[in-house]
Amino acid sequence: MERLLSVSNSLGKLFIITSFGESHGQCVGVIVDGCPAGLSLKAADIQKDLDRRRANVGVASTSRREKDRVKILSGVAGGFTTGAPLCLLIMNEDVDSSAYEAMKSQFRPGQADFTARVKYGGFNDWRGGGRFSGRITATFVMAGAVARKLLDTIGIEVFAHTVEIGGIKAATLPYEEIRRKALKDPFSCADARASAKMAALMETIKRKGDSLGGIIEGIALNIPVGLGEPVFDALDAELAKAIIAIPAVKGVEFGAGFAATRMKGSENNDPFTVKGCKIITTTNNAGGILGGISSGMPVVVRVAIKPTASIALEQSTVDIEKMKKATLKVGGRHDVCIVPRAVPVVEAMMSVMLCDFAMRAGLIPRVLK
Amino acid sequence: MERLLSVSNSLGKLFIITSFGESHGQCVGVIVDGCPAGLSLKAADIQKDLDRRRANVGVASTSRREKDRVKILSGVAGGFTTGAPLCLLIMNEDVDSSAYEAMKSQFRPGQADFTARVKYGGFNDWRGGGRFSGRITATFVMAGAVARKLLDTIGIEVFAHTVEIGGIKAATLPYEEIRRKALKDPFSCADARASAKMAALMETIKRKGDSLGGIIEGIALNIPVGLGEPVFDALDAELAKAIIAIPAVKGVEFGAGFAATRMKGSENNDPFTVKGCKIITTTNNAGGILGGISSGMPVVVRVAIKPTASIALEQSTVDIEKMKKATLKVGGRHDVCIVPRAVPVVEAMMSVMLCDFAMRAGLIPRVLK
Amino acid sequence: MERLLSVSNSLGKLFIITSFGESHGQCVGVIVDGCPAGLSLKAADIQKDLDRRRANVGVASTSRREKDRVKILSGVAGGFTTGAPLCLLIMNEDVDSSAYEAMKSQFRPGQADFTARVKYGGFNDWRGGGRFSGRITATFVMAGAVARKLLDTIGIEVFAHTVEIGGIKAATLPYEEIRRKALKDPFSCADARASAKMAALMETIKRKGDSLGGIIEGIALNIPVGLGEPVFDALDAELAKAIIAIPAVKGVEFGAGFAATRMKGSENNDPFTVKGCKIITTTNNAGGILGGISSGMPVVVRVAIKPTASIALEQSTVDIEKMKKATLKVGGRHDVCIVPRAVPVVEAMMSVMLCDFAMRAGLIPRVLK
Amino acid sequence: MERLLSVSNSLGKLFIITSFGESHGQCVGVIVDGCPAGLSLKAADIQKDLDRRRANVGVASTSRREKDRVKILSGVAGGFTTGAPLCLLIMNEDVDSSAYEAMKSQFRPGQADFTARVKYGGFNDWRGGGRFSGRITATFVMAGAVARKLLDTIGIEVFAHTVEIGGIKAATLPYEEIRRKALKDPFSCADARASAKMAALMETIKRKGDSLGGIIEGIALNIPVGLGEPVFDALDAELAKAIIAIPAVKGVEFGAGFAATRMKGSENNDPFTVKGCKIITTTNNAGGILGGISSGMPVVVRVAIKPTASIALEQSTVDIEKMKKATLKVGGRHDVCIVPRAVPVVEAMMSVMLCDFAMRAGLIPRVLK
C-alpha cells in the first residue's frame, strides 16, 4: 500500500501557485509563477489578508499566536513585480508539537492522520497535521492576495461571507450590504442578528468540547462574459476544484445549486433581458455561469464546511501500533468552528482561479503600466 | 469581448481523454491517451455503456433516434490495446438542424447560447447546441467505458443511481440492492416506489411543457487507501471538477456533504475501528475521503442536476440582432428530465478520474497480461 | 520490464495537438485544441502541405502510393473554425503488411522495433512500424498547416530547406533566394548545383541498397521580440523538444550552434545596432534567441537527420523468439533518404511551437475577424 | 510589445522542479514536488554538487565568493523526505550590483538584457542578469542532487565531462576512466593532456579579455529499456529541452549526432546482439535511444556551450535611453569559460529528467524503505 504516494502542489495554467511547508516545520510558503511584471507589490498587501485569516477572535479561534509575517523573497524589485516567480514565505514561530506526540499512533477521527500515514508510508510530517493542517491555507491566502491585486486592475471584485453556522442561517441581503457588514463582523456574517446567535451557539458548543460547521458564500462581481474553458476547464469545474482543495470543504454548489433540482425548468431558467447596452438575466439561478462560461452576472458559489474534526470530547479510534481499538482525547489548540477563518481562504481560491482564467483570456496584460 | 476564447478539451494526467465533435456536426469522438497496452477491447465493450446513455425510454427521453455506433479507429490491434492513443468515434446520423435555425439570434434561457456566442465571437457551431449539447457526454461515456475496464482489473467498481427527481426522494438502500435494482429501473432509481412516482410526475410535467431536475449519487467500491494527490489534486477536488464538466450539473457534495454543516463534530467524525486486518470507519460521513485521500471506505458523491433548460413553454429572452426583448418557444427534441440519462455519464467521469489516480499511484500496470 | 509503458501524444500549452493512428492501422489523425475561432479553414489548406510531405519524387522516395486525403471531422462550421477542437483525419488506404510479417521477431537495426516491443510488452502494432513509422509525421504536418495559417495572420513566416545530404553541402544563400528556390527543388535544396550532386549520390547509394542522412535548416522570419518563457519553456528548449520528436532527428543547433563552441566571445557575440526604429544585431550567431527569448532576428535551427534505418543490405540482429543472433534483410518500401520529405515536417513542428508561443504571448487574438 | 510576458519556471510531470530567485536578489531556490517519501536527505547531499558547480578554480572561474549554503526549508522530517514538497534555498550573500549600474541602459551583446527588457517591459531585475544569470543554475543543481539520490536507488548513474574547449578536443576514453579522471580534473576533462592545453589557452584568452566555449558530454549508465514517452515526450526530446534551458547552450546531439548525417545507414545502424540474457547493440551511434525510448545502452548527449558572453573587450551595442549606438565594456566578475562549471549542471538536468521518466515508468516506488 505504500506505493500510493504521489503529490501535486501546484494549481493554475498561466497564473500558477505552488504551495509548500508544514504546520510544525520551519515555514509555510508559496511560489507564484506567471504574475505579470509591473504590479506594485509590498508585504503589507499580502499581510492584510493573512491577518484576516489569523485574526478571528473570541470563541471561534485557536489560541496559536503567531505573527505570520510574510516575506517576499523573490520576484519583486524596486517595489514592482519583475515577471519572475514570487516566493512568499512565513517562518513558523510558535510551534509546540508535544500535544501531538501522544497521538502519533492513534488516528484522529475526521483528520487525514490515517490516510496520510498509509499514503506516505509513515514518513509524513504528522506534527500538527503537517501538510494537512489548516495552516497550509495561509499559503493559499498569500497567493490569493496577489491574484486579488491583479483582478483589481480589471475591476473584478471577490468577497465571501458566512451564510450559515451550526444550522443558523443569515438573512439574504444585497451584495452591497454584505460586502460592507461582513468585513466588520467577527464571524464574517453580514446579518448581525444571526451573528449574535452564532456567537451564543459557539460558546455553548465550546463548553461541551464539541465543534460546528457551516456554509460560506463566495461572490465575484464585474466578471466579463466569456471566462471558462469548456468542456473540461469549465469555470465552475475549476472553481470547484480549487475550493474543494481547502481542508474541511465537503461540497460546493453554484447559483441555486441543490435547490435547483427541485425547481421546474420554467422556474430555474434565468430569462434574458437588455439593460443599457448589456444583455443580462433578470434572475441568477445559474450563479453567473452558463455552459461552463461566465455570463456576466455575479458568480455565486456556496461552500459546505464540515464541523472541526479536532474536538475535546473522547472519541473511538484505532491504535495502529497495537492494531486495536482505542479511545482518544485530542489535545492541542483548535477552533470550535473554522468557518469564519475559512472566509478569506475561499476568497483566495476564487481569486487565484479567476485570475488564471482572466490571464488565459488575455484580459490581464503581461506587463502592467 | 471576442478575445476571450480559449479552450481545454483534455482531462487527466496519465490517463488522458480529449473530447471533440459537435451535436450536429459530422461526429463526436474522444482520444484516450495513456491506456495501458494489453487490455482486451472491443467496440461492444464501449457500446454497452453508450446504449445505457441513449436507451432511456418513456417520457424522460428525447426522440432523437441514432444508433450511436462506436468505431475504434486506432490504438487496438488484434483485439488488444497497443499502448498507442485510442480514437473512439461516432458518426452523427440523425441530424436535423431546422428547429434551431429560428433560434439563431435568440438565446435559449438556461443554455450556453449567449455565453458561447460572446466567447467564440459568433463562430461557434450553434446547431443543436454544438459543443454544449448533452450529446457531447457520449464522448465521456466512451472514455469512461475504457476506464471502467481498467478499474475492473484492480477490482474497483463504480456505479451511480437516481436518488431524487423533482423533489421525489428514493429510499436509502444497501449498495448491493442499489446496484442490482437501479440497472433495471427506467430512471436508474433503485427504489421502485419512488420510481413510479417519478414516472407519474414526469408525465404531468411533460404535458405542461415544463421540465424537472434531480440528484444522482455516484458510488465507488473497493477503493484502496491512498488515492488522491493533495493539496491541489485532492481526490474530491478532481472528482468534483470532472463531474461538474457534465452539462447541467450545479453542485456536488461528498459523504454527508451540506448536511454535515449542521452536524456537530462529535456526530460527523467517523470513528475508526479494526475489521479483520483492515482499519475502517464505522460510519462514512466523509464519503470515503479524508484530507483529499481515499480512506478505503466507499467513495460517495451526490450530484445536483438542474431541470432541463429546453422547455416547450414560452420564455422571455433577447434577440441579439435587434438587441431587444423577445419571446421564444424552443423547438427541437428534448428530455423532460435528463437525470436518468446522466447516470452513466456520472459513472463515466468518476471512472475516468479514478483510473487516472490509480495510474498515478502505480496501481494499474502499464502493460496488462 | 513490461511495466515501463506510458505515453504522451500531446504537445503545446494553449495551441495543443494530439496525434493518433498507426502506419498500417485504419487511419492517422490529429486533434488540434485551442485553435482560435474565425479562421478560414478548408481541407485544401492542409492538403497542400501534406502533398509536399508525400510528393517527393525520384530516388529519394518510397513507392507507397496513397492520396492521403485529409478530412476535417470537427471544429469547422461554414468554412470557419468554431473554437472547438479540430479533428483532422486521413484514412489509410495502401496498406500491405506482408513484408513486415517476417520481421516480427527480428528487430530492424536503427528502428524502434526492439524498444517498442519491450516497452509495450509486445502489444504494440508493429506492422509498418506502427506509431514509430515516419507516416505519423503526416499528423504533425496537418497540425502544422493550421498553425501556419494562424502565424500568417501576424506575419510570421516559417520555411525549411535541405542544407546537406550525405556530406554534400548546399551553398549559403540569402533567405529570399532559399525560400523561392527550395520550394521548387526535388530535394528542397536551394542550391541547384548541390541538389544535382545529391541526386547523383542518392542514385548510387540506392543501387547499393544503402541509405543517406543530412541536415535541414529551419528559418522563421518576422518573429516579434519576446517569444519564449524562461527558464524552462525557453523558445529554443521547446523548439528543440518539438523537432526532436520527429523520427530520425539526432541533433539540433541554434544559430552558430556547435561551431560557436570554437569561436571566441568577441567573435560569437552579436553586436547590437539601431535600424530605423528597431534594435537589431549585425550578425545572428544567436539564431534569433537570447536567454531563451526571441530577439526579433530570424530564428534559425539546424536539424541532424540520420540515414534511413531501413536498408536493403543484410544486417546483423537478434531473433527474440529464439533469443539468438540472426541476419535480416528488410523488405517493404523505404526512402533512400528521408531528408527532403522531412523538410515540411520540420516546418510543421516549428510552426506548431511558434503558434503556441504566440498564443501564450497574447499575439493571436482568440477570435479572428 | 509589453504584452509578451509569460513565464514558466517548472519542469517535469511527476518529479516537478520549480526554480525561483535572482542573481542579486535575496535568494535563489527550488521547490521539488513529487519526491517520494522515505529518502534520506541532508543538506550535505545537496551541498556536494553545489560545491562542484561553484568550486572551479583557476583562470576559468569568476571571483564571486559565496559559500552557497543550501537550507532545506520543507519536505524533510527526521532526516527523511516526507512526500511533501521540498523547498531548497540559498540566501545570496556577496552581492555587488554596482558594476551593472552603468549597463542598465546598454545591452550586453550575447546576453538576455535586450530580450528581457522588452519582454518584461523594463521591470525585470537586471542586476547581475537577474533570472538570466548563470547563478540560476544553482537551483538546477540542488534539484538534480535530489534526483540523483533517487536514481541511485535504482542503479542509474549520471555523469558529464568536458570533451572540448576552444577547439581543443579530449581523447576518447572508456566510461570507467572518464568517470574517475574527470572528477579530479579542474576542467572536468578526463584527458589530462588536453586539460593542460585548455588551461594554457584559457590563460592566454583571459589576458586578451576574451572568452571561450566548448562541448560537454553527458552520459547515463544502467538505464533500463523503455524510458521515454513517444511521440512527443520522447526521451531525447525531453532531455534536449531540459538541457537547452541551461544558459549558453546552443545545441545538443545524441549518439553520433551531426556526424551521423554523413554516415550511410549501413554504418550508422547499431547491430543487435545477445550478451548473456540481454539484447544489446554492438555499437551505440543511437546514443542509447531508439524511437524516443531508451534501449538499455548508455544514453549519450553532447552539449554545445557558447563562449561566455561577458568579455572585458569593448563591444558595440545600443543605448536604449538614447536609442543610438554605443560602445560598452562589461565590468563585473565573469568566467573566461563556463564549460567546467556547466558540467554538474548538465548532470543535474539529465538527472532531473531521467528521474521524472523513471517515476512515470513506475520504476521508483512512491515510498522508499
Side-chain angles (χ1 to χ4, degrees):
Chain A
M1 271 204 299
E2 300 100 306
R3 339 175 5 242
L4 297 197
L5 172 65
S6 63
V7 292
S8 188
N9 293 284
S10 295
L11 186 73
K13 215 165 183 174
L14 293 185
F15 183 83
I16 306 159
I17 71 173
T18 302
S19 166
F20 61 94
E22 294 90 11
S23 180
H24 285 207
Q26 296 180 64
C27 68
V28 292
V30 69
I31 306 295
V32 177
D33 198 9
C35 180
L39 179 73
S40 159
L41 189 69
K42 293 177 195 58
D45 296 322
I46 299 159
Q47 197 64 47
K48 202 173 46 179
D49 280 347
L50 274 178
D51 290 346
R52 286 176 61 214
R53 194 197 76 95
R54 192 180 54 83
N56 280 286
V57 295
V59 293
S61 175
T62 168
S63 45
R64 183 163 173 174
R65 279 169 217 288
E66 293 183 80
K67 290 207 201 77
D68 281 2
R69 285 286 136 210
V70 60
K71 281 185 221 163
I72 305 177
L73 283 192
S74 69
V76 170
F80 291 89
T81 56
T82 61
L86 300 164
C87 176
L88 309 176
L89 198 76
I90 300 170
M91 297 308 289
N92 290 333
E93 297 168 4
D94 179 21
V95 172
D96 174 9
S97 307
S98 60
Y100 293 87
E101 199 66 43
M103 293 176 291
K104 195 179 167 180
S105 66
Q106 296 184 1
F107 308 125
R108 293 169 298 164
Q111 300 274 25
D113 299 356
F114 167 59
T115 50
R117 179 167 175 138
V118 173
K119 186 174 184 72
Y120 303 97
F123 287 105
N124 58 304
D125 187 352
W126 50 270
R127 299 167 302 156
R131 281 295 287 165
F132 296 88
S133 164
R135 182 155 180 74
I136 296 312
T137 60
T139 69
F140 303 177
V141 169
M142 291 191 282
V146 178
R148 197 192 281 272
K149 286 208 77 171
L150 289 168
L151 291 174
D152 271 356
T153 67
I154 53 168
I156 292 178
E157 185 189 1
V158 176
F159 59 95
H161 62 122
T162 299
V163 293
E164 196 174 322
I165 283 181
I168 299 168
K169 290 182 170 61
T172 305
L173 295 169
Y175 293 145
E176 184 71 5
E177 216 172 321
I178 291 170
R179 188 170 23 185
R180 190 160 35 85
K181 294 188 173 167
L183 256 179
K184 298 179 197 151
D185 185 77
F187 305 128
S188 295
C189 177
D191 173 356
R193 194 179 303 206
S195 177
K197 285 190 201 160
M198 291 170 185
L201 179 61
M202 277 201 247
E203 196 56 53
T204 311
I205 294 295
K206 187 183 188 180
R207 274 197 303 271
K208 292 188 177 158
D210 215 332
S211 66
L212 292 170
I215 300 175
I216 292 168
E217 185 175 71
I219 297 156
L221 302 180
N222 301 323
I223 299 289
V225 188
L227 296 186
E229 304 186 3
V231 293
F232 294 124
D233 289 357
L235 181 56
D236 37 7
E238 288 280 54
L239 281 172
K241 178 181 165 178
I243 289 168
I244 291 180
I246 303 170
V249 172
K250 296 304 284 184
V252 292
E253 58 177 10
F254 294 87
F258 278 87
T261 69
R262 284 146 211 153
M263 295 161 88
K264 296 190 190 68
S266 58
E267 297 161 342
N268 182 60
N269 283 350
D270 300 309
F272 288 105
T273 190
V274 177
K275 189 180 174 184
C277 57
K278 284 179 62 182
I279 293 169
I280 62 163
T281 56
T282 55
T283 53
N284 190 19
N285 289 321
I289 302 175
L290 282 170
I293 301 171
S294 62
S295 71
M297 297 297 289
V299 168
V300 181
V301 57
R302 259 177 313 283
V303 183
I305 311 277
K306 70 175 183 179
T308 314
S310 293
I311 55 176
L313 295 171
E314 201 172 80
Q315 298 181 84
S316 292
T317 187
V318 161
D319 187 314
I320 195 161
E321 305 295 349
K322 305 172 187 158
M323 203 49 187
K324 44 194 256 191
K325 290 187 69 170
T327 54
L328 169 80
K329 281 190 86 161
V330 178
R333 300 158 300 188
H334 301 286
D335 296 311
V336 174
C337 177
I338 61 155
V339 172
R341 294 184 68 190
V343 165
V345 184
V346 169
E347 289 175 6
M349 294 313 276
M350 288 180 73
S351 299
V352 163
M353 201 39 78
L354 286 167
C355 182
D356 191 34
F357 274 111
M359 291 189 64
R360 297 193 212 177
L363 289 179
I364 299 179
R366 306 305 181 100
V367 177
L368 305 168
K369 277 159 277 246
Chain B
M1 269 202 302
E2 299 99 305
R3 354 192 331 258
L4 298 195
L5 171 67
S6 62
V7 291
S8 188
N9 294 286
S10 295
L11 187 73
K13 215 165 182 174
L14 293 185
F15 183 82
I16 306 159
I17 71 173
T18 301
S19 166
F20 61 93
E22 294 89 11
S23 179
H24 286 207
Q26 296 181 64
C27 68
V28 292
V30 69
I31 306 296
V32 178
D33 197 11
C35 179
L39 179 73
S40 159
L41 188 69
K42 292 177 196 59
D45 296 322
I46 299 160
Q47 196 63 50
K48 202 172 47 180
D49 280 347
L50 274 179
D51 290 346
R52 286 178 60 216
R53 195 197 75 95
R54 194 179 52 84
N56 278 287
V57 296
V59 292
S61 174
T62 167
S63 44
R64 183 165 174 174
R65 278 167 218 289
E66 293 182 78
K67 293 208 199 73
D68 281 359
R69 286 284 136 211
V70 61
K71 282 185 220 164
I72 305 177
L73 282 194
S74 68
V76 170
F80 291 89
T81 56
T82 61
L86 300 164
C87 176
L88 310 176
L89 197 76
I90 300 170
M91 297 307 289
N92 290 332
E93 298 168 4
D94 179 20
V95 172
D96 174 9
S97 306
S98 58
Y100 293 87
E101 198 66 43
M103 294 177 289
K104 196 180 167 182
S105 66
Q106 297 186 0
F107 308 126
R108 292 169 298 163
Q111 302 273 24
D113 299 356
F114 168 58
T115 51
R117 178 166 176 140
V118 173
K119 187 176 183 71
Y120 303 97
F123 287 105
N124 58 303
D125 186 353
W126 51 270
R127 298 168 300 156
R131 281 295 288 165
F132 297 88
S133 164
R135 181 155 181 74
I136 295 312
T137 61
T139 70
F140 302 177
V141 168
M142 291 191 281
V146 178
R148 196 192 281 272
K149 286 208 78 172
L150 290 168
L151 291 173
D152 271 356
T153 67
I154 54 169
I156 293 179
E157 185 189 2
V158 176
F159 59 94
H161 62 122
T162 300
V163 293
E164 196 174 321
I165 283 182
I168 299 167
K169 290 182 171 61
T172 305
L173 296 168
Y175 293 146
E176 185 70 7
E177 216 171 321
I178 290 170
R179 189 169 24 186
R180 191 159 36 83
K181 294 187 173 167
L183 256 180
K184 298 177 197 151
D185 185 77
F187 305 128
S188 295
C189 178
D191 174 356
R193 193 178 304 204
S195 177
K197 284 191 202 160
M198 291 169 185
L201 179 60
M202 277 201 248
E203 196 57 55
T204 311
I205 294 296
K206 187 183 186 179
R207 274 197 302 271
K208 291 190 177 158
D210 216 332
S211 67
L212 292 170
I215 301 176
I216 293 168
E217 186 176 71
I219 297 156
L221 302 179
N222 301 322
I223 298 289
V225 188
L227 296 187
E229 304 184 3
V231 292
F232 294 123
D233 289 358
L235 181 55
D236 37 6
E238 288 279 54
L239 281 173
K241 179 183 164 175
I243 289 169
I244 291 180
I246 303 171
V249 172
K250 296 306 284 184
V252 293
E253 58 177 11
F254 295 87
F258 278 87
T261 69
R262 284 145 211 155
M263 297 161 88
K264 297 192 189 67
S266 59
E267 297 161 343
N268 183 60
N269 282 350
D270 300 309
F272 287 105
T273 191
V274 177
K275 189 179 175 185
C277 57
K278 282 179 64 181
I279 294 170
I280 62 163
T281 56
T282 56
T283 52
N284 189 21
N285 290 321
I289 302 175
L290 282 170
I293 301 172
S294 62
S295 70
M297 298 296 292
V299 168
V300 181
V301 58
R302 258 177 316 281
V303 184
I305 310 276
K306 70 174 183 180
T308 313
S310 292
I311 54 176
L313 294 171
E314 200 172 80
Q315 298 181 82
S316 293
T317 188
V318 161
D319 188 313
I320 195 161
E321 304 297 348
K322 304 174 186 157
M323 202 52 186
K324 44 195 255 190
K325 291 188 66 170
T327 53
L328 170 79
K329 280 190 89 160
V330 178
R333 299 158 302 187
H334 301 287
D335 296 311
V336 174
C337 177
I338 62 155
V339 172
R341 294 184 69 190
V343 165
V345 183
V346 169
E347 290 176 5
M349 294 312 278
M350 289 181 72
S351 299
V352 163
M353 200 40 77
L354 287 166
C355 182
D356 191 34
F357 274 112
M359 291 189 65
R360 298 193 213 178
L363 289 179
I364 299 179
R366 305 306 181 99
V367 178
L368 305 167
K369 276 159 278 247
Chain C
M1 271 205 299
E2 300 100 306
R3 347 182 348 251
L4 297 196
L5 171 65
S6 64
V7 291
S8 190
N9 294 284
S10 295
L11 185 75
K13 217 167 183 174
L14 292 185
F15 182 83
I16 306 159
I17 72 173
T18 301
S19 166
F20 61 93
E22 294 89 12
S23 179
H24 286 207
Q26 296 179 64
C27 67
V28 292
V30 70
I31 306 295
V32 177
D33 197 10
C35 178
L39 179 73
S40 159
L41 188 69
K42 294 176 195 56
D45 296 322
I46 299 159
Q47 196 63 48
K48 201 173 46 179
D49 281 346
L50 274 178
D51 289 347
R52 285 177 60 215
R53 194 197 76 94
R54 192 179 55 83
N56 279 287
V57 294
V59 293
S61 172
T62 167
S63 44
R64 184 164 172 174
R65 279 170 216 289
E66 293 183 78
K67 291 207 200 75
D68 280 359
R69 285 285 135 211
V70 60
K71 282 185 221 165
I72 304 177
L73 282 193
S74 69
V76 170
F80 291 89
T81 57
T82 62
L86 300 165
C87 176
L88 309 177
L89 197 76
I90 300 171
M91 297 307 290
N92 290 332
E93 297 169 5
D94 179 21
V95 173
D96 173 10
S97 307
S98 58
Y100 293 88
E101 199 65 45
M103 295 177 288
K104 195 179 167 181
S105 66
Q106 296 185 0
F107 308 126
R108 292 170 298 163
Q111 300 274 23
D113 299 356
F114 168 58
T115 52
R117 179 167 176 140
V118 173
K119 186 175 183 72
Y120 303 97
F123 287 104
N124 59 303
D125 186 352
W126 50 271
R127 299 168 302 155
R131 280 296 287 166
F132 296 89
S133 163
R135 181 153 181 75
I136 296 312
T137 60
T139 70
F140 303 177
V141 168
M142 290 191 282
V146 179
R148 196 192 282 271
K149 285 208 78 171
L150 289 167
L151 291 174
D152 271 355
T153 67
I154 54 169
I156 292 178
E157 185 190 1
V158 176
F159 59 93
H161 62 121
T162 299
V163 293
E164 194 175 322
I165 283 182
I168 300 167
K169 290 181 171 60
T172 306
L173 297 167
Y175 293 145
E176 184 71 6
E177 215 171 322
I178 291 171
R179 190 171 20 187
R180 190 159 35 84
K181 294 188 174 167
L183 257 180
K184 297 179 199 150
D185 186 77
F187 304 128
S188 295
C189 178
D191 174 357
R193 193 179 304 205
S195 177
K197 285 191 202 159
M198 292 170 185
L201 178 61
M202 277 200 247
E203 195 57 53
T204 311
I205 294 294
K206 187 182 186 181
R207 274 196 304 270
K208 292 188 178 158
D210 214 333
S211 66
L212 292 170
I215 301 175
I216 293 168
E217 186 175 69
I219 298 155
L221 302 179
N222 301 322
I223 299 290
V225 188
L227 295 187
E229 304 186 3
V231 290
F232 294 124
D233 289 358
L235 182 56
D236 36 7
E238 289 280 53
L239 281 173
K241 178 181 164 176
I243 289 169
I244 291 180
I246 303 171
V249 173
K250 296 305 284 183
V252 292
E253 58 177 10
F254 294 87
F258 277 87
T261 69
R262 284 145 211 154
M263 296 162 87
K264 298 192 188 66
S266 58
E267 297 161 342
N268 183 59
N269 283 349
D270 300 309
F272 287 105
T273 190
V274 178
K275 188 180 175 185
C277 57
K278 284 179 65 183
I279 294 169
I280 61 163
T281 56
T282 55
T283 53
N284 189 21
N285 289 321
I289 303 175
L290 282 169
I293 301 172
S294 62
S295 69
M297 298 295 291
V299 169
V300 180
V301 57
R302 258 177 314 281
V303 183
I305 310 277
K306 71 175 183 180
T308 313
S310 292
I311 53 175
L313 295 171
E314 199 172 79
Q315 297 181 84
S316 292
T317 187
V318 161
D319 188 314
I320 196 161
E321 303 297 348
K322 305 173 185 156
M323 203 51 186
K324 45 195 253 192
K325 290 187 67 172
T327 53
L328 170 79
K329 280 190 90 159
V330 178
R333 299 159 299 188
H334 301 287
D335 296 310
V336 175
C337 176
I338 62 155
V339 172
R341 294 185 68 190
V343 165
V345 184
V346 168
E347 290 175 6
M349 294 312 277
M350 288 181 73
S351 298
V352 164
M353 199 41 77
L354 287 166
C355 182
D356 191 34
F357 274 112
M359 290 190 65
R360 298 194 211 178
L363 289 181
I364 299 179
R366 306 306 180 101
V367 177
L368 304 168
K369 277 157 277 245
Chain D
M1 267 201 307
E2 299 99 305
R3 343 180 356 247
L4 298 196
L5 172 66
S6 63
V7 291
S8 189
N9 294 284
S10 295
L11 186 74
K13 214 164 184 175
L14 293 184
F15 183 83
I16 305 158
I17 72 172
T18 302
S19 166
F20 61 93
E22 294 89 11
S23 179
H24 286 207
Q26 296 180 64
C27 68
V28 293
V30 69
I31 306 296
V32 178
D33 198 10
C35 179
L39 179 74
S40 159
L41 188 70
K42 292 176 197 57
D45 296 323
I46 299 159
Q47 196 63 50
K48 201 173 47 180
D49 280 347
L50 274 179
D51 290 346
R52 285 177 60 216
R53 194 197 76 96
R54 193 180 53 85
N56 279 286
V57 295
V59 292
S61 174
T62 166
S63 45
R64 183 164 173 174
R65 279 169 216 288
E66 293 181 79
K67 293 208 199 75
D68 280 0
R69 286 285 136 210
V70 60
K71 281 186 221 163
I72 304 177
L73 282 193
S74 69
V76 170
F80 290 89
T81 55
T82 62
L86 300 164
C87 176
L88 309 176
L89 198 75
I90 300 170
M91 297 307 289
N92 290 333
E93 297 169 4
D94 178 21
V95 172
D96 174 9
S97 307
S98 58
Y100 293 88
E101 198 66 43
M103 293 178 289
K104 196 180 167 180
S105 67
Q106 296 185 0
F107 308 126
R108 292 170 298 163
Q111 300 274 24
D113 299 356
F114 167 58
T115 52
R117 178 166 177 140
V118 173
K119 186 174 183 72
Y120 302 98
F123 286 105
N124 58 304
D125 186 353
W126 50 271
R127 299 168 300 156
R131 282 295 288 165
F132 297 89
S133 163
R135 182 154 179 75
I136 295 313
T137 60
T139 70
F140 302 176
V141 168
M142 291 191 281
V146 178
R148 197 192 281 271
K149 286 208 77 171
L150 290 167
L151 291 174
D152 271 356
T153 68
I154 54 168
I156 292 179
E157 184 189 2
V158 176
F159 59 95
H161 62 122
T162 299
V163 293
E164 194 174 323
I165 283 182
I168 299 168
K169 290 181 171 60
T172 305
L173 296 168
Y175 293 145
E176 185 71 6
E177 216 172 321
I178 291 170
R179 189 170 25 187
R180 190 159 35 84
K181 294 187 173 168
L183 256 180
K184 297 179 198 150
D185 185 77
F187 304 128
S188 294
C189 178
D191 174 356
R193 193 179 302 207
S195 177
K197 284 191 202 160
M198 290 170 186
L201 178 61
M202 277 200 248
E203 197 57 53
T204 312
I205 293 295
K206 188 185 186 178
R207 272 197 304 271
K208 292 189 178 159
D210 215 332
S211 66
L212 293 170
I215 300 175
I216 293 169
E217 185 176 70
I219 298 156
L221 303 180
N222 301 323
I223 299 289
V225 188
L227 295 187
E229 304 185 3
V231 290
F232 295 123
D233 289 358
L235 182 55
D236 37 6
E238 288 279 53
L239 281 173
K241 179 183 164 175
I243 289 168
I244 291 180
I246 303 170
V249 173
K250 296 305 284 183
V252 293
E253 58 177 10
F254 295 86
F258 278 87
T261 68
R262 284 145 211 153
M263 296 162 85
K264 297 193 189 66
S266 58
E267 297 160 342
N268 182 60
N269 283 349
D270 300 309
F272 287 105
T273 190
V274 177
K275 189 181 175 184
C277 58
K278 283 178 63 182
I279 293 169
I280 61 163
T281 56
T282 55
T283 53
N284 189 21
N285 290 321
I289 303 175
L290 282 170
I293 301 172
S294 62
S295 70
M297 297 297 290
V299 169
V300 181
V301 57
R302 258 176 317 281
V303 184
I305 311 277
K306 71 175 182 180
T308 314
S310 292
I311 54 176
L313 295 171
E314 201 171 79
Q315 298 180 83
S316 293
T317 187
V318 161
D319 188 312
I320 194 159
E321 304 297 348
K322 304 174 186 157
M323 203 51 188
K324 45 195 255 191
K325 291 187 68 171
T327 54
L328 170 80
K329 280 190 88 159
V330 178
R333 299 159 302 188
H334 302 286
D335 297 311
V336 174
C337 177
I338 62 156
V339 171
R341 294 184 69 190
V343 165
V345 184
V346 168
E347 290 176 6
M349 294 311 278
M350 288 181 73
S351 298
V352 163
M353 200 39 77
L354 287 166
C355 182
D356 191 35
F357 274 111
M359 291 190 65
R360 298 193 212 178
L363 289 180
I364 299 179
R366 306 305 180 100
V367 178
L368 305 168
K369 276 157 279 245

